[in-house]
Coordinates of all heavy atoms in Angstrom, one line a residue:
Chain B
F71 N 173.6 80.2 135.6 CA 174.8 80.4 134.7 C 175.9 81.0 135.5 O 175.7 82.0 136.2 CB 174.4 81.4 133.6 CG 173.4 80.8 132.6 CD1 172.0 80.9 132.8 CD2 173.8 80.2 131.4 CE1 171.1 80.4 131.9 CE2 172.9 79.6 130.5 CZ 171.6 79.7 130.8
V72 N 177.1 80.4 135.4 CA 178.3 80.8 136.1 C 179.4 81.3 135.1 O 179.8 80.4 134.3 CB 178.8 79.7 137.0 CG1 180.0 80.2 137.9 CG2 177.7 79.1 137.9
N73 N 179.8 82.5 135.2 CA 180.9 82.9 134.3 C 182.3 82.6 134.8 O 182.7 83.3 135.7 CB 180.8 84.4 133.9 CG 181.8 84.9 132.9 OD1 182.6 84.0 132.4 ND2 181.9 86.2 132.7
K74 N 182.9 81.6 134.3 CA 184.3 81.3 134.8 C 185.4 81.8 133.8 O 186.5 81.4 134.0 CB 184.4 79.8 135.0 CG 183.4 79.2 136.1 CD 183.9 77.9 136.6 CE 183.1 77.6 137.9 NZ 183.5 76.3 138.5
D75 N 185.0 82.6 132.8 CA 186.0 83.2 131.9 C 186.5 84.4 132.5 O 185.9 85.0 133.4 CB 185.3 83.5 130.6 CG 185.6 82.4 129.6 OD1 186.6 81.6 129.8 OD2 184.9 82.3 128.5
L76 N 187.6 85.0 131.9 CA 188.1 86.3 132.3 C 187.4 87.4 131.7 O 187.5 88.5 132.1 CB 189.6 86.3 132.5 CG 190.8 86.3 131.5 CD1 191.6 85.3 131.9 CD2 190.8 87.0 130.3
V77 N 186.7 87.2 130.6 CA 186.0 88.3 129.9 C 184.5 88.2 130.2 O 184.0 87.3 130.7 CB 186.2 88.2 128.3 CG1 187.7 88.2 128.0 CG2 185.6 86.9 127.8
T78 N 183.8 89.4 129.9 CA 182.4 89.5 130.2 C 181.5 88.8 129.2 O 181.8 88.9 128.0 CB 182.1 91.0 130.2 OG1 182.8 91.7 131.3 CG2 180.6 91.3 130.5
H79 N 180.5 88.1 129.7 CA 179.5 87.5 128.8 C 178.1 87.8 129.2 O 177.9 88.5 130.3 CB 179.7 85.9 128.9 CG 181.0 85.4 128.4 ND1 181.3 85.4 127.1 CD2 182.0 84.8 129.1 CE1 182.5 84.9 127.0 NE2 183.0 84.5 128.2
D80 N 177.1 87.5 128.4 CA 175.8 87.5 128.9 C 175.0 86.3 128.3 O 175.6 85.5 127.6 CB 175.0 88.8 128.6 CG 174.7 89.1 127.2 OD1 174.9 88.2 126.3 OD2 174.3 90.2 126.8
V81 N 173.8 86.2 128.7 CA 172.9 85.1 128.2 C 171.7 85.8 127.6 O 170.9 86.4 128.4 CB 172.5 84.1 129.3 CG1 171.8 82.9 128.7 CG2 173.7 83.7 130.2
T82 N 171.5 85.7 126.3 CA 170.4 86.4 125.6 C 169.6 85.5 124.8 O 170.1 84.7 124.0 CB 171.1 87.5 124.7 OG1 171.9 88.4 125.5 CG2 170.0 88.3 124.0
E83 N 168.3 85.6 125.0 CA 167.4 84.8 124.2 C 167.6 85.1 122.7 O 167.9 86.3 122.4 CB 165.9 85.1 124.6 CG 164.8 84.3 123.9 CD 164.3 85.1 122.7 OE1 164.4 86.3 122.7 OE2 163.9 84.4 121.7
V84 N 167.5 84.1 121.8 CA 168.0 84.3 120.5 C 167.5 85.5 119.7 O 168.3 86.2 119.0 CB 167.8 83.0 119.6 CG1 166.3 82.8 119.3 CG2 168.6 83.0 118.4
S85 N 166.2 85.9 119.9 CA 165.8 87.1 119.2 C 166.2 88.4 120.0 O 166.1 89.5 119.5 CB 164.2 87.1 119.1 OG 163.7 87.4 120.4
G86 N 166.7 88.2 121.2 CA 167.1 89.3 122.0 C 166.0 90.1 122.7 O 166.1 91.1 123.3
K87 N 164.7 89.5 122.5 CA 163.5 90.3 122.9 C 162.8 89.7 124.1 O 162.3 90.4 125.0 CB 162.5 90.4 121.8 CG 163.0 91.4 120.7 CD 162.2 91.4 119.5 CE 162.8 92.3 118.4 NZ 162.5 91.8 117.1
S88 N 162.8 88.3 124.3 CA 162.1 87.7 125.4 C 162.8 87.9 126.7 O 162.1 88.2 127.7 CB 161.8 86.3 125.2 OG 161.4 86.0 123.9
W89 N 164.0 87.5 126.8 CA 164.8 87.7 128.0 C 166.3 87.8 127.8 O 166.8 87.4 126.7 CB 164.5 86.5 129.0 CG 164.7 85.2 128.5 CD1 163.7 84.3 127.9 CD2 165.9 84.4 128.3 NE1 164.3 83.2 127.5 CE2 165.6 83.2 127.8 CE3 167.2 84.7 128.7 CZ2 166.6 82.2 127.5 CZ3 168.2 83.7 128.4 CH2 167.9 82.5 127.8
K90 N 167.0 88.4 128.8 CA 168.4 88.7 128.6 C 169.0 88.9 130.0 O 168.4 89.6 130.8 CB 168.5 90.0 127.8 CG 169.9 90.4 127.4 CD 169.8 91.7 126.7 CE 171.2 92.4 126.5 NZ 171.9 92.2 125.3
S91 N 170.1 88.3 130.2 CA 170.7 88.5 131.5 C 171.4 89.8 131.5 O 171.7 90.4 130.5 CB 171.8 87.4 131.8 OG 172.9 87.6 131.1
P92 N 171.8 90.3 132.7 CA 172.7 91.5 132.7 C 174.1 91.1 132.3 O 174.3 89.9 132.1 CB 172.7 92.0 134.1 CG 172.3 90.8 134.9 CD 171.4 89.9 134.1
A93 N 175.0 92.0 132.1 CA 176.4 91.7 131.8 C 177.0 90.9 133.0 O 176.9 91.3 134.1 CB 177.2 93.0 131.5
L94 N 177.6 89.7 132.7 CA 178.1 88.9 133.7 C 179.7 89.0 133.6 O 180.3 88.5 132.7 CB 177.7 87.5 133.6 CG 176.2 87.2 133.5 CD1 176.0 85.7 133.2 CD2 175.5 87.6 134.8
T95 N 180.3 89.7 134.6 CA 181.7 89.8 134.6 C 182.3 88.5 135.2 O 181.5 87.7 135.8 CB 182.3 91.0 135.3 OG1 181.8 91.0 136.6 CG2 181.8 92.3 134.6
S96 N 183.6 88.3 135.1 CA 184.2 87.1 135.6 C 183.8 86.8 137.0 O 183.9 87.7 137.9 CB 185.7 87.3 135.5 OG 186.4 86.1 135.9
G97 N 183.3 85.6 137.2 CA 182.9 85.2 138.6 C 181.4 85.4 138.9 O 180.9 84.9 139.9
D98 N 180.7 86.2 138.1 CA 179.3 86.5 138.3 C 178.4 85.2 138.0 O 178.8 84.4 137.2 CB 178.8 87.6 137.4 CG 179.2 89.0 137.9 OD1 179.8 89.0 139.0 OD2 178.9 90.0 137.2
T99 N 177.3 85.2 138.7 CA 176.3 84.1 138.4 C 174.9 84.8 138.1 O 174.7 85.9 138.6 CB 176.1 83.1 139.5 OG1 175.6 83.8 140.7 CG2 177.4 82.4 139.9
W100 N 174.1 84.1 137.3 CA 172.8 84.6 137.0 C 171.8 83.4 137.0 O 172.2 82.4 136.4 CB 172.8 85.4 135.7 CG 171.4 85.9 135.3 CD1 170.7 86.9 135.9 CD2 170.6 85.5 134.2 NE1 169.5 87.1 135.3 CE2 169.4 86.3 134.2 CE3 170.7 84.5 133.3 CZ2 168.4 86.1 133.3 CZ3 169.7 84.3 132.3 CH2 168.6 85.1 132.4
R101 N 170.6 83.5 137.6 CA 169.7 82.4 137.6 C 168.4 82.8 136.9 O 168.0 83.9 136.9 CB 169.5 81.8 138.9 CG 169.2 82.8 140.1 CD 169.0 82.1 141.4 NE 170.1 81.3 141.8 CZ 170.0 80.1 142.4 NH1 168.8 79.6 142.6 NH2 171.1 79.5 142.8
M102 N 167.8 81.8 136.2 CA 166.6 82.0 135.5 C 165.7 80.8 135.7 O 166.2 79.7 135.9 CB 166.8 82.3 134.1 CG 167.3 81.1 133.3 SD 167.3 81.3 131.5 CE 165.6 81.3 131.1
V103 N 164.4 80.9 135.6 CA 163.5 79.8 135.7 C 163.1 79.4 134.2 O 162.7 80.3 133.4 CB 162.2 80.1 136.5 CG1 161.2 79.0 136.5 CG2 162.7 80.4 138.0
A104 N 163.3 78.2 133.9 CA 163.0 77.7 132.5 C 161.5 77.5 132.3 O 160.9 76.7 133.0 CB 163.8 76.4 132.2
L105 N 161.0 78.2 131.3 CA 159.5 78.0 131.1 C 159.3 77.4 129.7 O 158.3 76.7 129.5 CB 158.8 79.4 131.2 CG 158.9 80.0 132.6 CD1 158.2 81.4 132.6 CD2 158.2 79.1 133.6
K106 N 160.1 77.7 128.7 CA 159.9 77.0 127.4 C 161.2 76.9 126.7 O 162.2 77.6 127.0 CB 158.9 77.8 126.6 CG 159.2 79.2 126.3 CD 158.2 79.8 125.4 CE 158.6 81.2 125.0 NZ 157.6 81.9 124.1
T107 N 161.2 76.0 125.7 CA 162.4 75.7 124.9 C 162.9 77.0 124.2 O 162.1 77.6 123.5 CB 162.1 74.6 123.9 OG1 161.8 73.4 124.7 CG2 163.3 74.3 123.0

Side-chain angles (χ1 to χ4, degrees):
Chain B
F71 291 87
V72 186
N73 183 5
K74 295 204 167 176
D75 261 343
L76 69 236
V77 300
T78 298
H79 295 292
D80 71 6
V81 190
T82 302
E83 181 269 332
V84 72
S85 75
K87 286 172 188 148
S88 314
W89 51 264
K90 184 182 169 98
S91 78
L94 306 173
T95 56
S96 184
D98 282 354
T99 61
W100 180 69
R101 42 179 63 219
M102 68 172 289
V103 175
L105 295 175
K106 60 178 186 182
T107 296

